[in-house]
Structures are given as structure tokens and as C-alpha cells.
Amino acid sequence: MTQIISNASEMQQTAIELRAAGKRIGLVPTMGALHEGHLSLIRQIREHSDVIILSIFVNPIQFGPGEDFSQYPRTFDEDVEKCKAEGVDIIFAPEPSSFYPSDFSTYVTEEFASEGLCGTSRPGHFRGVTTVVAKLFNTCCPAVAIFGKKDAQQLAVIRRMVRDLNFPIKIIGAPIVREEDGLAMSSRNRYLSAKQRSDATAIIKALKRARTMTQQGILNTDRIISEVTHMINDTLNARVIYVVIVSPDTMKPLKEVIPGKSLIATAVSFDRVRLIDNYDL
Ligand code: AMP
């Protein structure tokens, strides 16, 4: 049985009772429009928890002006069916107006890993993410929470927030789930035209090229970034927002690839659709 809760106080009360009964709660935070990437998180967290809460909340404060908050896909009924099929115990889907009352005035900011990359191209984004995740942690009282490595910077930021603010929560990073042709699954992929969808495979091809270069002994990050940027930009419909090579823990740029400890990350826009992806080097 999958229970749906939309009221934050009811969610918190339920979570407190579950914990008092000795249950280990696992939390899967999402913005809905669930795909196989999200379902993989549910399957992985099951190993670590007695009760699974999946939250569905398109968080208004992590979208900047002119971003796709109003157009973000909302497929609640289908999401519920997928959660039932995966054995999710509770779907927490708060109403934006009740989760953020009009006089809401407290925010959580992480000030190191959230700089650069999406922190530069989406100012205020990570402040919205850390604030909503802190709220979800406090309402759902998880012992463990899982985040996808597709959002590598988000994972680094959350790990730091949990460490710095002493949240008693284990954070799991889950591998990126990809389409057959290598495109990272994303709720936003559905907005790509057929042409953009086929062009989007340039992203993973370019990231794989970066790994090949490092395997050939080319470790200079400027050289790799330049080649990857050209490969993506040569695709008719694509515009590179950034390509960086960073340490996955700090999100700080590296001058030389440290094999096994480096990540190449990119954000690419296809007209109004913004996609991100990354690859271990
Ligand atoms: P979202 O609904 O896009 O905010 O994503 C919710 C969670 O699912 C985040 O932790 C994402 O990193 C994760 N996620 C999204 N897409 C994928 C994917 N293709 N593979 C693995 N995790 C993913």
C-alpha cells in the first residue's frame, strides 16, 4: 500500500511515529516526472531502509527568473502508479503554498561546492536546493537519503550540508542511468525535438572522448575541455553552457586530470532545454 501525504505536519508526525517504532526511513527526493533513473534510486535505497518515502515537489525556489518552473513536467498520476509498482511506502507531495508560506524567510546556503558550474549559470539554484532538502530532512526524518550522481554538484553540496550541519543522515550517491544511446535520463529529455534528441548524443560521445584522451596520457584539462567543447558545439542545435574538469568532492577545477579522482561535467542547452551530464575520468 502506497500512502500519499501532502501535509507537512502530517508527514512529520508519521515519520516520528515510524522512527519511534524502530523503523529506518529511506528518503528519495524528486521533482516528479519519474523515469528509470528515479526508479533506480528507489531500488537502491530499499537495501538500506525499512520504509521508503519518495518526495515529489517541484521546488519553486531553486528555479531562477526565466527558467522552466512553470513548464517543468508534472505527471503526478503516472508517478503514483510507478511508486506503487516499486513498493514505495509513502509519497510526500507537499503543496507549494503550504510548504513555503508567504512570509517564509529562512534559507540554508552551502558556500564552497556550490560555487562554479551550475552555481554560476543558475544563481541562487543551490540555495533553493539546500533549503528544500533541509526541509525534507526535517519533515521526513530519514536515516538515509539517496541522490543521483547525474547531479554531481548537488550531491557534493548536500554531502557538505549534512556534514557541516550535523544532520544524522547517511547520504548515498547513485550511478547515472542512461538511455540505450548513452543520453543521461532526465525529466527534461521529453522536451527535446526528435532532431535535438538525436543531437543530444553528442554530449556522451564528447565525454567519452575525454576519457579516451586521459587513457592516452593526455591529462592537461585545458586541452581536454577545448576538444570536448568543440565536439558539442559542432552539433548544430547545441550550445555549451560550461565544460569543466573538477574534483568530485570539492567541485573545484583541476589543472591536470588525476585518473580515478576527476570528473568532467557539462551543461548544454538545446534551445530552451538545459541538460547536464558528467563522466568519471
Ligand atoms: P530530479 O527529479 O530531476 O530532481 O531528480 C531527483 C533525483 O533523481 C536526484 O537525486 C537526481 O540526481 C536523480 N536522478 C535524476 N536523473 C537521474 C539519472 N539519469 N540517473 C540517476 N539518478 C538520476
Side-chain angles (χ1 to χ4, degrees):
M1 242 279 289
T2 305
Q3 189 184 355
I4 300 173
I5 299 181
S6 58
N7 179 287
S9 312
E10 185 188 341
M11 180 66 257
Q12 195 175 48
Q13 194 52 41
T14 304
I16 288 169
E17 285 166 16
L18 284 165
R19 284 196 79 136
K23 302 288 186 202
R24 206 174 144 78
I25 297 173
L27 176 65
V28 185
T30 82
M31 299 205 297
L34 302 183
H35 50 66
E36 276 297 319
H38 298 114
L39 305 187
S40 79
L41 304 185
I42 300 171
R43 292 169 198 150
Q44 286 168 73
I45 206 162
R46 185 171 293 124
E47 310 296 318
H48 304 266
S49 44
D50 306 312
V51 174
I52 300 177
I53 302 177
L54 180 136
S55 62
I56 298 179
F57 184 62
V58 185
N59 175 33
I61 68 167
Q62 72 186 63
F63 289 80
E67 290 188 1
D68 59 349
F69 173 68
S70 55
Q71 286 90 42
Y72 197 84
R74 289 163 172 86
T75 59
F76 188 71
D77 294 343
E78 291 162 41
D79 293 348
V80 170
E81 290 312 311
K82 289 178 182 168
C83 287
K84 283 183 181 166
E86 292 296 331
V88 168
D89 297 284
I90 299 173
I91 297 171
F92 177 47
E95 286 293 331
S97 57
S98 69
F99 214 37
Y100 292 115
S102 57
D103 58 350
F104 184 86
S105 59
T106 306
Y107 296 85
V108 177
T109 56
E110 191 286 331
E111 300 185 353
F112 181 71
S114 57
E115 285 177 353
L117 292 83
C118 292
T120 304
S121 49
R122 302 185 71 188
H125 170 68
F126 287 112
R127 173 188 188 248
V129 170
T130 41
T131 301
V132 79
V133 171
K135 281 169 69 64
L136 291 169
F137 285 173
N138 284 332
T139 36
C140 299
C141 311
V144 52
I146 189 161
F147 295 84
K149 290 185 181 171
K150 179 177 159 257
D151 299 271
Q153 190 174 17
Q154 169 173 281
L155 176 61
V157 167
I158 298 293
R159 283 194 194 284
R160 278 177 180 260
M161 178 186 86
V162 163
R163 184 200 68 182
D164 293 348
L165 299 185
N166 307 90
F167 282 99
I169 300 169
K170 178 184 159 81
I171 302 297
I172 300 173
I176 302 175
V177 177
R178 298 181 177 279
E179 302 285 356
E180 252 174 44
D181 62 7
L183 179 67
M185 289 197 183
S186 163
S187 304
R188 291 184 169 101
N189 289 351
R190 72 190 67 202
Y191 290 134
L192 296 169
S193 69
K195 174 80 174 78
Q196 289 170 332
R197 172 66 189 80
S198 71
D199 284 353
T201 56
I203 301 172
I204 185 63
K205 283 185 194 138
L207 299 183
K208 284 187 170 166
R209 170 79 190 124
R211 188 184 288 175
T212 306
M213 289 173 82
T214 64
Q215 286 164 347
Q216 289 166 346
I218 302 166
L219 300 179
N220 180 284
T221 53
D222 286 343
R223 199 168 147 198
I224 300 170
I225 289 169
S226 153
E227 173 133 356
V228 166
T229 305
H230 278 113
M231 276 182 78
I232 300 174
N233 272 337
D234 280 351
T235 308
L236 211 55
N237 285 296
R239 185 179 66 83
V240 167
I241 301 169
Y242 65 75
V243 176
V244 291
I245 296 176
V246 294
S247 148
D249 299 328
T250 64
M251 289 290 136
K252 297 304 166 209
L254 297 168
K255 283 202 180 321
E256 290 244 310
V257 171
I258 309 165
K261 290 186 182 153
S262 309
L263 193 75
I264 183 161
T266 186
V268 179
S269 73
F270 287 83
D271 286 335
R272 297 186 63 83
V273 187
R274 186 183 189 281
L275 303 180
I276 57 170
D277 199 354
N278 65 80
Y279 213 56
D280 293 321
L281 295 181

